[in-house]
Amino acid sequence: AQSVAQPEDQVNVAEGNPLTVKCTYSVSGNPYLFWYVQYPNRGLQFLLKYITGDNLVKGSYGFEAEFNKSQTSFHLKKPSALVSDSALYFCAVRDIGFQKLVFGTGTRLLVSP
Amino acid sequence: SQTIHQWPATLVQPVGSPLSLECTVEGTSNPNLYWYRQAAGRGLQLLFYSIGIDQISSEVPQNLSASRPQDRQFILSSKKLLLSDSGFYLCAWSVTGGATYNSPLHFGNGTRLTVT
């Protein structure tokens, strides 16, 4: 079965520093990977996706993600963190039948001023 | 552009009472529709998904049910709520057909349900 793992419950970073939120995947076949962000008491917002092609995917709000097939990873990155980036981040993968997304457990990002 | 509406935003219901949460999508046809529950502000649990009218799949056995009376309307129901039904309920949609693998899910703003 398709799955993703987010090994960190929380990531702390100072404003202006680069940030990385980790995600590893396990799939049969090609991976179709997604990142989402959730602010308190709101739904999830789509940030970016990897389907095929370039290993560096650019998304919304200055976020990007690096796909690494050999390490089965899809880490979310941003060169310079903002306090407003503080939120809950989810990695997800399409299931084999393509009808569903399987989500990771989420990583809370805290950016301090 | 496509939009998704979920209501109510918050709901407090006593144990044993019925439940009806509604979700509608505008600006697209024949979407895939989903109900997720998020407990304790973290993990997402897929409850139901639908690839068409009267085509609903249940992911987790429970006292909840889902219906899709119209193409772009998805309803989550319960006849008798339990304390364990408390949580944050999220509706989502995605495109259907050949582009499904490429399509993200788009979420509504959720309903915070507290069962007392």
Side-chain angles (χ1 to χ4, degrees):
Chain A
Q2 319 289 70
S3 66
V4 289
Q6 295 182 245
E8 303 156 314
D9 279 346
Q10 183 163 315
V11 170
N12 298 307
V13 64
E15 188 173 32
N17 284 356
L19 70 87
T20 298
V21 182
K22 296 180 180 178
C23 173
T24 59
Y25 65 88
S26 175
V27 301
S28 301
N30 294 323
Y32 302 115
L33 298 160
F34 302 80
W35 274 104
Y36 286 82
V37 61
Q38 184 182 30
Y39 296 99
N41 295 311
R42 300 299 296 270
L44 278 67
Q45 295 179 32
F46 168 66
L47 284 177
L48 51 80
K49 65 182 178 183
Y50 173 82
I51 305 300
T52 187
D54 290 341
N55 290 339
L56 187 63
V57 179
K58 294 192 181 295
S60 305
Y61 312 121
F63 284 94
E64 56 191 26
E66 186 173 8
F67 173 75
N68 187 316
K69 187 174 182 178
S70 62
Q71 297 185 5
T72 62
S73 66
F74 188 53
H75 299 334
L76 182 70
K77 299 174 183 282
K78 188 173 183 182
S80 179
L82 300 172
V83 172
S84 57
D85 293 329
S86 298
L88 188 57
Y89 290 81
F90 289 96
C91 180
V93 64
R94 271 288 178 188
D95 75 316
I96 292 177
F98 300 142
Q99 300 299 347
K100 299 177 284 186
L101 276 187
V102 178
F103 286 87
T105 52
T107 297
R108 192 166 303 281
L109 173 67
L110 183 59
V111 181
S112 54
Chain B
S1 63
Q2 302 90 358
T3 56
I4 179 169
H5 303 280
Q6 237 188 289
W7 67 93
T10 59
L11 190 60
V12 180
Q13 292 282 98
V15 168
S17 64
L19 173 73
S20 180
L21 301 181
E22 192 162 341
C23 172
T24 59
V25 180
E26 296 177 355
T28 188
S29 296
N30 193 30
N32 287 346
L33 295 171
Y34 306 82
W35 279 111
Y36 284 85
R37 178 169 58 201
Q38 186 176 29
R42 291 305 288 262
L44 293 162
Q45 180 185 36
L46 179 61
L47 302 175
F48 300 94
Y49 71 97
S50 172
I51 61 173
I53 291 178
D54 296 329
Q55 295 179 276
I56 298 172
S57 297
S58 174
E59 291 293 295
V60 182
Q62 59 217 325
N63 70 320
L64 299 172
S65 62
S67 61
R68 186 170 177 172
Q70 300 180 47
D71 178 46
R72 292 169 292 173
Q73 184 184 26
F74 206 25
I75 296 173
L76 183 69
S77 303
S78 174
K79 292 181 179 178
K80 289 186 177 182
L81 283 168
L82 306 172
L83 285 175
S84 57
D85 291 324
S86 293
F88 192 48
Y89 288 82
L90 291 160
C91 181
W93 74 272
S94 72
V95 299
T96 189
T100 299
Y101 75 98
N102 192 28
S103 172
L105 267 62
H106 303 278
F107 285 82
N109 282 328
T111 295
R112 174 77 58 193
L113 172 66
T114 303
V115 182
T116 60

